[in-house]
Amino acid sequence: MKRLTKYISPALFATILCAIIAGYLLFVPPVNGLADNGDFLQTLSQNGLNRIDTRNLSYFNYVIEKFHIMHFYNETAVPIYSSQFLFIQAAIEINKLFLSSQIFDNSFSRPHLLSIFLGAIYLLTRSLTAPNRNFRNYLVSLIVVFVFGDTSNTLTFNSFYPEAGTFILMLYCFALFLLIARKLVKHDRLTTGAFFRRFIVADCG
């Protein structure tokens, strides 16, 4: 126990566990995801994407990972303002940089969503456990993993549901609020400003 507390804080402990659980779910085949309830078409059109094979929509197959990137006028786009747009557009730009400007592989949305999520888990656990490294705080970190690292939450990272971005941003809001309330930050004004920015963006999700 002493070796654990010396090198791994409760926040880092929770982050590592969530990385293992979510990483296995998102990257180890067969890749899991959530079924389309009819909202995906709106999200795809808003972000300049469409299905490659419209004849076989594969409702009963595993996750559909590849989509066509539109290069001309998108007549089906709808003016919906959501934080989800930022996450998907970031994934598309990374996809264009490393893979293709014609085909979008949805696997590029997983790493950056997972990394942002792990940052939220770290801050949340730190806000609940810092500065002590006792048994009770490691137990708290396990509870954080059990509640927020649940696969029902991270499964949305491999779909086009807006809940993924909203969930992550709300974790940041909650973590920043606790950090400010417990006076665990040196620059209160900057942290408070970051809190309100996260809250506004999450509210737009």
Side-chain angles (χ1 to χ4, degrees), residues 15-32:
T15 305
I16 293 173
L17 289 180
C18 283
I20 294 172
I21 296 171
Y24 180 83
L25 177 74
L26 297 175
F27 298 105
V28 177
V31 178
N32 295 276

Side-chain angles (χ1 to χ4, degrees), residues 29-48:
V31 178
N32 295 276
L34 295 175
D36 183 3
N37 67 347
D39 292 342
F40 285 7
L41 183 60
Q42 175 178 297
T43 304
L44 291 173
S45 62
Q46 182 187 13
N47 289 276

Side-chain angles (χ1 to χ4, degrees), residues 11 25 39 54 63 84 89 99 111 139 152 184 188 191 199 203:
L25 177 74
D39 292 342
T54 58
V63 176
Q84 182 192 25
Q89 286 299 314
L99 182 64
L139 183 61
S152 62
L184 296 173
D188 291 344
T191 309
F199 181 79
D203 189 57

Side-chain angles (χ1 to χ4, degrees), residues 1-203:
M1 185 68 182
K2 291 183 179 179
R3 290 184 178 180
L4 176 66
T5 58
K6 182 179 180 180
Y7 297 104
I8 301 178
S9 65
L12 182 59
F13 182 63
T15 305
I16 293 173
L17 289 180
C18 283
I20 294 172
I21 296 171
Y24 180 83
L25 177 74
L26 297 175
F27 298 105
V28 177
V31 178
N32 295 276
L34 295 175
D36 183 3
N37 67 347
D39 292 342
F40 285 7
L41 183 60
Q42 175 178 297
T43 304
L44 291 173
S45 62
Q46 182 187 13
N47 289 276
L49 302 172
N50 56 23
R51 296 184 185 274
I52 297 176
D53 185 5
T54 58
R55 295 171 297 176
N56 180 20
L57 296 181
S58 302
Y59 287 115
F60 301 104
N61 289 345
Y62 286 105
V63 176
I64 301 174
E65 297 190 80
K66 291 182 171 56
F67 300 87
H68 179 259
I69 301 175
M70 299 181 187
H71 290 276
F72 302 100
Y73 175 71
N74 184 9
E75 61 181 9
T76 60
V78 289
I80 296 177
Y81 303 100
S82 171
S83 58
Q84 182 192 25
F85 177 82
L86 301 176
F87 292 106
I88 296 178
Q89 286 299 314
I92 292 175
E93 293 303 318
I94 296 173
N95 181 93
K96 290 180 179 179
L97 183 63
F98 292 101
L99 182 64
S100 171
S101 60
Q102 304 290 331
I103 302 298
F104 171 66
D105 191 334
N106 194 35
S107 62
F108 281 92
S109 65
R110 297 177 218 148
H112 80 277
L113 280 175
L114 180 60
S115 61
I116 298 171
F117 165 71
L118 293 177
I121 290 294
Y122 181 87
L123 283 181
L124 178 61
T125 310
R126 182 177 181 275
S127 68
L128 292 169
T129 60
N132 300 318
R133 297 189 179 190
N134 50 38
F135 176 78
R136 183 180 65 180
N137 284 337
Y138 283 94
L139 183 61
V140 170
S141 67
L142 286 176
I143 295 174
V144 170
V145 174
F146 181 77
V147 176
F148 299 106
D150 189 272
T151 55
S152 62
N153 296 321
T154 56
L155 199 60
T156 58
F157 295 176
N158 202 29
S159 70
F160 288 102
Y161 286 111
E163 283 80 1
T166 304
F167 170 66
I168 294 173
L169 292 174
M170 288 306 297
L171 286 180
Y172 274 107
C173 288
F174 190 43
L176 291 172
F177 174 78
L178 288 176
L179 288 171
I180 296 169
R182 297 189 63 205
K183 297 181 180 180
L184 296 173
V185 290
K186 295 181 180 179
H187 304 286
D188 291 344
R189 293 183 179 179
L190 293 176
T191 309
T192 304
F195 167 76
F196 282 107
R197 285 194 297 270
R198 295 285 185 183
F199 181 79
I200 292 171
V201 175
D203 189 57

